[in-house]
């Protein structure tokens, strides 16, 4: 018999593939995805392994300058947002997620010394309530990319980062080849790929406009 966990992982991959190929289909998957992660919120932190953020960290180390305004899309319980805030001590970090239950955990998890620089907000990465060019870095850890919105909210010369903790075995996974294709079409360049822990990551820079 197939376990509920296996069904959930399969659903996450189907939703990812559909949203990447046909972003308009996302509206069908969105309520199911939110429900899935609301249900996972109480156990999400216990599922994390020691090297879950190794690819994310490796890609962050590839940045040549410290960003001031940083977005962690699909932040879940906030681990990625805290990683960003620790690496960039002057940055303001915003974690965005669909699931209010995940965000409740993220707020509870926020260390005292990061409370003045890290915020969490409910939102959908496919329709972000932010101005064009509002962030110098938009980071994703195990999160479905919505390329049009990433390209819109990242500032000229800013970066987008995509990390997958278990590489192609990650339920929410997009190949580097597909990421490069979609990003290049939207004005990203300087692709850098990273392997760390069990996973991989890709970093890209948005071309500076004259
Ligand atoms: C696999 S979890 C990853 C959480 C966290 N980044 C981590 O690696 O621990 C994916 C997260 O993305 C959120 N998510 C999925 N689609 C989203 C969307 N369109 N906008 C915002 N958050 C989304 C889910 O609610 C979930 O918390």
């Amino acid at each position: 018999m197939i376990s509920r966990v296996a069904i959930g992982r399969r659903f996450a991959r189907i939703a990812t593939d559909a949203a990447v190929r046909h972003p308009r289909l996302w509206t069908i998957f969105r309520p199911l995805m939110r429900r899935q992660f609301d249900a996972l919120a109480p156990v999400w932190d216990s599922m994390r392994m020691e090297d879950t953020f190794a690819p994310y960290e490796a890609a962050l180390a590839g940045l040549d300058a410290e960003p001031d305004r940083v977005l962690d899309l699909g932040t879940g319980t906030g681990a990625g947002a805290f990683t960003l805030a620790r690496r960039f001590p002057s940055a303001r970090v915003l974690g965005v997620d669909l699931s209010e239950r995940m965000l409740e955990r993220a707020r509870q998890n926020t260390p005292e010394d990061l409370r003045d620089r890290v915020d969490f907000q409910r939102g959908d990465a496919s329709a972000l309530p932010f101005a064009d060019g509002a962030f110098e870095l938009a980071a994703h850890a195990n999160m479905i990319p919505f390329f049009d919105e990433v390209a819109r909210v990242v500032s000229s010369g800013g970066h987008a980062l995509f990390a997958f903790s278990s590489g192609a075995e990650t339920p929410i996974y997009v190949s580097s080849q597909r990421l490069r294709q979609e990003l290049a079409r939207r004005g990203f360049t300087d692709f850098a790929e990273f392997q760390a822990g069990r996973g991989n990551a890709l970093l890209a820079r948005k071309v500076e406009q004259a």
Side-chain angles (χ1 to χ4, degrees):
M1 196 157 88
I2 307 173
S3 71
R4 282 184 68 164
V5 174
I7 293 170
R9 292 170 68 91
R10 186 83 195 106
F11 167 72
R13 177 61 70 89
I14 290 168
T16 303
D17 289 347
V20 167
R21 285 193 196 133
H22 309 286
R24 284 191 191 162
L25 289 181
W26 173 242
T27 53
I28 299 167
F29 288 97
R30 181 170 46 209
L32 300 168
M33 183 70 88
R34 183 169 55 221
R35 214 172 307 153
Q36 180 181 21
F37 281 102
D38 275 347
L40 281 170
V43 294
W44 189 255
D45 286 331
S46 68
M47 290 163 68
R48 187 171 309 119
M49 294 169 80
E50 217 167 76
D51 63 357
T52 292
F53 278 86
Y56 193 83
E57 298 249 25
L60 290 177
L63 282 172
D64 44 16
E66 183 165 332
D68 286 332
R69 301 158 301 159
V70 182
L71 192 56
D72 184 43
L73 287 168
T75 194
T77 54
F82 308 141
T83 301
L84 291 163
R86 294 257 180 255
R87 178 167 285 275
F88 306 123
S90 310
R92 290 209 66 86
V93 180
L94 183 62
V96 169
D97 205 284
L98 268 187
S99 159
E100 192 51 56
R101 297 274 172 281
M102 287 293 225
L103 292 172
E104 277 166 20
R105 297 269 161 174
R107 292 186 185 103
Q108 286 163 11
N109 288 345
T110 309
E112 199 53 49
D113 63 316
L114 297 183
R115 286 187 185 271
D116 58 340
R117 293 193 297 119
V118 178
D119 288 304
F120 294 100
Q121 181 174 328
R122 189 155 118 66
D124 182 347
S126 75
L128 292 167
F130 308 124
D132 297 0
F135 297 92
E136 280 128 34
L137 171 65
H140 305 65
N142 309 310
M143 165 63 185
I144 303 170
F146 290 89
F147 298 103
D148 287 344
E149 279 297 79
V150 173
R152 187 181 67 75
V153 301
V154 169
S155 58
S156 170
H159 289 83
L161 183 165
F162 306 84
F164 305 100
S165 295
S166 304
E169 302 297 309
T170 317
I172 293 179
Y173 170 77
V174 181
S175 71
S176 294
Q177 190 193 3
R178 185 73 192 230
L179 290 171
R180 281 171 177 255
Q181 259 172 21
E182 299 287 348
L183 291 163
R185 283 176 42 205
R186 293 167 175 87
F188 282 83
T189 183
D190 293 350
F191 300 106
E193 293 191 29
F194 304 84
Q195 303 285 332
R198 292 158 297 126
N200 70 295
L202 182 134
L203 185 64
R205 187 173 63 79
K206 189 168 157 187
V207 171
E208 280 183 75
Q209 264 128 38

